[in-house]
Amino acid sequence: MGSSKENTTGGFLKQGSILAIASIMVRVIGMIYRIPMANIIGDEGNGIYSAAYEIYNILLIISSYGMPMAVSKMVSARCAQKRYKNAYKIFRYSMLVSVITGGSAALFVYFGADWLERQFFSKYNGVSIPLKILAPTIFIVAIMGTLRGLFQGRKTMLPTAVSQIFEQVVNAFVSVTAAYFFMRAHSASGKLPAWGAAGGTLGTCAGAAVAFVILVFIYMGYRPVMKKQESRDRTARTISSTQSLKIIAITVIPIILSQTVYQLSGIVDVTLFNGVMGMKGIPDKVVSTMQGIYSTKYRLLVNVPVAVSTAIASSMIPSLVTSFASGETGSVKDKVSMAVKFNMIIAFPSAMGLSVLAEPVIRLLFPSSDYKTGGLMLITGSVCIIFYALSTVTNGVLQSIDKMGLPVIHSLISLVVHIGIVAGLLLWTDMGVFALVAGNVTYPVLVCILNGMSLKKYLGYEQEVTRTFCVPLIASFIMGIVTFVIYYLLFMLTHKIYVAILPAVAAAVFVYFILVIKLQGLNRHELYEFPMGRRLSVVADKLHLLKKG
């Protein structure tokens, strides 16, 4: 399971591409099922749904969210040294920690749901209902995350990818079905939107349960391999239980803290928005509706391409840990450079495409909603995709080179600045919910700057600028013009969004590919390192884009 030797960037990029493809499929499925669900429960229901998820996510992060990345790092570092007994002992203790922390968080959310609603989300009538349904999901996901970390530490992303796809398919079916039947069953309730949101959270729980069962079956099949590796391990002395727990704490806590700070920005945004809008006399229903548009029409869409960077960061960590532990600084820098370039080549056109096709995409996906507001959010805020992609990857690099605390410090600094910006815009301007969009852009920008400074200081790494950033920017800008022209010409002729948008997207992909290669954003060797790179190079050769050799 996984290769013992990995000297090229291709290994983690190809493993990352497996996870990236699965993550994109998951996000696309998520986007598709959220359309009927959003229409069933309405904008107010979506506001309640997103509010429940803010609490769920923060408790999940505190209890176990860092486990996949932490277990991956700890297992890969020891397996690289063939210290299998220590690697799997740490995995088993990580599982114990996940059971305890995940179980505690689940009990807190279930029994404290009413208190959480009163303290943090009093404007969202009935948020405790979906919270109680989400509670057992925290426990399931905590254990599942540790299993995924084991497989990722052995440099295979396939179990994570497969389980994620099944999880989301079940989630989609149950969420829409349960939302519909819950709304019908509680049609006379004063908390009708909350019951609709609860249907959506039931899907999350069901999906997690199915994914957990799949991972358990895969793990049972892998256990003989683990036992065989442990029997060949001639390590004179294995680490003690106390040492195992100490290693887990040292590795997990910084990851959890950095993720918690990021998630806190969402909690802070909701709290600030509710408080300031309430001070200005905006009705509660309008506030929750605008919050629903922001979370469903804006954040849901920009998170789809960001899934690629998250996948690459996850797959990169075991490979970087191995190279860094072996003192191969040059290999570390090469892998970082390729990971950043891969992300930027995807992030720039994604941001441009969502900006140019903002209103058509919203109208196509959410026909019964306020597409003007959602479209304007995408136009002004889709640039955040670039900075989230870069900050995610650079966070992963810093964690891989044993600078675990730096992402936490950088996230805290960015959060303080973020709070100041969002609070100031809400208080002293009439931007309203667009203040949240502005904050969603400025937060990752500062993280990127601070991470870049740390990489230069501790790794001596400086990112090449022209081919990594300038070429994708220029290619995306030209692509955006072509996409805009084709879409609006076809729409003027047909007055049908789906007829106009598909050729426009196809043209965008083709034009962008040609421009990136023609402007020498990628050479032949770099293209080979990309997933399906050799097939893409054949296409490029037929178009006479690549230099021979």
Side-chain angles (χ1 to χ4, degrees):
M1 192 168 270
S3 175
S4 60
K5 184 178 181 181
E6 188 175 7
N7 296 323
T8 67
T9 57
F12 81 81
L13 274 183
K14 286 179 172 60
Q15 285 295 322
S17 71
I18 293 172
L19 196 53
I21 291 167
S23 298
I24 290 172
M25 288 176 66
V26 165
R27 299 299 174 100
V28 169
I29 294 169
M31 205 163 47
I32 291 171
Y33 89 76
R34 284 289 293 272
I35 297 165
M37 195 182 86
N39 292 328
I40 289 169
I41 69 177
D43 282 334
E44 187 180 356
N46 279 304
I48 294 169
Y49 181 83
S50 63
Y53 255 86
E54 293 292 353
I55 292 289
Y56 164 75
N57 282 335
I58 196 73
L59 267 297
L60 188 63
I61 286 168
I62 291 171
S63 63
S64 61
Y65 206 74
M67 273 300 181
M69 190 176 291
V71 172
S72 169
K73 184 178 187 296
M74 293 184 292
V75 168
S76 62
R78 283 152 188 83
C79 287
Q81 300 166 340
K82 301 191 184 303
R83 294 161 58 197
Y84 297 111
K85 289 180 182 176
N86 287 340
Y88 298 134
K89 185 172 186 177
I90 286 174
F91 159 70
R92 286 188 282 270
Y93 273 92
S94 298
M95 181 63 75
L96 176 63
V97 170
S98 294
V99 169
I100 294 170
T101 57
S104 301
L107 290 171
F108 171 74
V109 171
Y110 185 82
F111 291 106
D114 294 324
W115 178 82
L116 288 167
E117 179 180 338
R118 288 194 303 270
Q119 293 297 316
F120 299 102
F121 295 103
S122 58
K123 293 182 183 295
Y124 294 87
N125 185 29
V127 75
S128 62
I129 299 171
L131 268 179
K132 287 181 179 179
I133 294 177
L134 277 173
T137 316
I138 299 174
F139 179 67
I140 297 169
V141 172
I143 303 172
M144 188 163 57
T146 304
L147 287 170
R148 284 172 172 167
L150 170 67
F151 297 123
Q152 288 169 203
R154 301 303 292 125
K155 298 178 184 175
T156 175
M157 305 296 150
L158 198 58
T160 299
V162 171
S163 62
Q164 282 182 344
I165 292 170
F166 276 96
E167 178 181 2
Q168 191 70 329
V169 169
V170 173
N171 183 5
F173 176 77
V174 176
S175 291
V176 175
T177 306
Y180 174 76
F181 282 108
F182 278 24
M183 291 284 280
R184 283 190 63 182
H186 299 276
S187 58
S189 172
K191 297 181 179 180
L192 181 60
W195 280 106
T201 58
L202 181 62
T204 306
C205 186
V210 169
F212 172 68
V213 171
I214 291 170
L215 285 170
V216 167
F217 273 108
I218 296 172
Y219 172 72
M220 295 305 291
Y222 183 55
R223 278 191 72 188
V225 177
M226 292 170 60
K227 290 188 177 297
K228 188 178 292 186
Q229 289 175 334
E230 287 182 293
S231 67
R232 292 201 306 262
D233 183 357
R234 296 292 178 251
T235 303
R237 184 181 175 187
T238 59
I239 54 177
S240 66
S241 301
T242 304
Q243 287 174 312
S244 298
L245 292 171
K246 185 177 178 181
I247 291 166
I248 292 167
I250 291 171
T251 308
V252 171
I253 289 172
I255 295 175
I256 289 176
L257 286 175
S258 62
Q259 290 289 336
T260 301
V261 171
Y262 166 69
Q263 197 61 41
L264 274 173
S265 66
I267 295 282
V268 168
D269 284 351
V270 172
T271 306
L272 280 173
F273 186 65
N274 291 345
V276 175
M277 292 297 100
M279 280 171 40
K280 291 186 173 182
I282 308 297
D284 291 351
K285 187 171 182 177
V286 173
V287 172
S288 61
T289 298
M290 294 305 292
Q291 178 66 27
I293 294 171
Y294 170 74
S295 62
T296 306
K297 278 76 172 179
Y298 169 68
R299 289 191 67 172
L300 180 69
L301 290 172
V302 298
N303 280 339
V304 173
V306 173
V308 175
S309 59
T310 304
I312 294 299
S314 297
S315 65
M316 176 179 63
I317 284 177
S319 180
L320 282 185
V321 167
T322 302
S323 297
F324 184 71
S326 304
E328 299 170 1
T329 307
S331 176
V332 172
K333 291 181 180 179
D334 288 344
K335 290 171 182 176
V336 174
S337 177
M338 186 56 71
V340 173
K341 178 172 286 191
F342 182 87
N343 272 278
M344 293 303 98
I345 282 176
I346 293 172
F348 273 96
S350 299
M352 182 62 72
L354 280 178
S355 180
V356 168
L357 296 175
E359 282 197 12
V361 167
I362 297 290
R363 290 178 68 185
L364 186 66
L365 297 179
F366 306 100
S368 64
S369 66
D370 182 355
Y371 67 85
K372 288 287 184 182
T373 303
L376 191 54
M377 286 181 185
L378 277 181
I379 292 170
T380 54
S382 61
V383 68
C384 76
I385 293 168
I386 297 165
F387 300 110
Y388 273 119
L390 187 56
S391 64
T392 300
V393 171
T394 50
N395 275 345
V397 176
L398 290 171
Q399 288 160 349
S400 300
I401 63 171
D402 292 333
K403 298 298 176 185
M404 308 289 290
L406 288 176
V408 181
I409 296 168
H410 298 167
S411 297
L412 278 171
I413 294 169
S414 302
L415 179 61
V416 172
V417 175
H418 171 86
I419 291 171
I421 290 171
V422 172
L425 292 174
L426 286 171
L427 285 167
W428 298 309
T429 72
D430 293 324
M431 288 178 65
V433 74
F434 287 93
L436 304 186
V437 176
N440 196 50
V441 175
T442 56
Y443 177 86
V445 169
L446 189 51
V447 174
C448 288
I449 293 169
L450 295 172
N451 284 357
M453 291 167 63
S454 293
L455 287 177
K456 183 177 180 180
K457 180 179 179 180
Y458 295 105
L459 196 59
Y461 178 81
E462 289 189 66
Q463 183 67 46
E464 183 276 331
V465 174
T466 303
R467 296 170 67 237
T468 304
F469 299 107
C470 296
V471 169
L473 174 62
I474 294 167
S476 297
F477 183 75
I478 298 170
M479 177 207 80
I481 295 172
V482 172
T483 306
F484 180 86
V485 170
I486 290 175
Y487 171 78
Y488 281 99
L489 281 176
L490 288 173
F491 185 71
M492 285 170 62
L493 290 171
T494 64
H495 298 289
K496 296 185 183 297
I497 295 172
Y498 63 89
V499 172
I501 205 167
L502 293 177
V505 171
V509 173
F510 185 69
V511 168
Y512 182 74
F513 174 73
I514 291 175
L515 288 170
V516 166
I517 304 295
K518 201 67 179 174
L519 293 171
Q520 299 181 355
L522 290 172
N523 57 36
R524 185 179 296 275
H525 172 71
E526 289 170 334
L527 190 58
Y528 284 167
E529 298 286 5
F530 276 59
M532 295 175 57
R534 293 190 179 273
R535 293 183 184 179
L536 291 172
S537 70
V538 171
V539 176
D541 282 331
K542 288 181 179 179
L543 296 171
H544 306 291
L545 300 174
L546 284 171
K547 293 181 180 179
K548 297 294 181 183

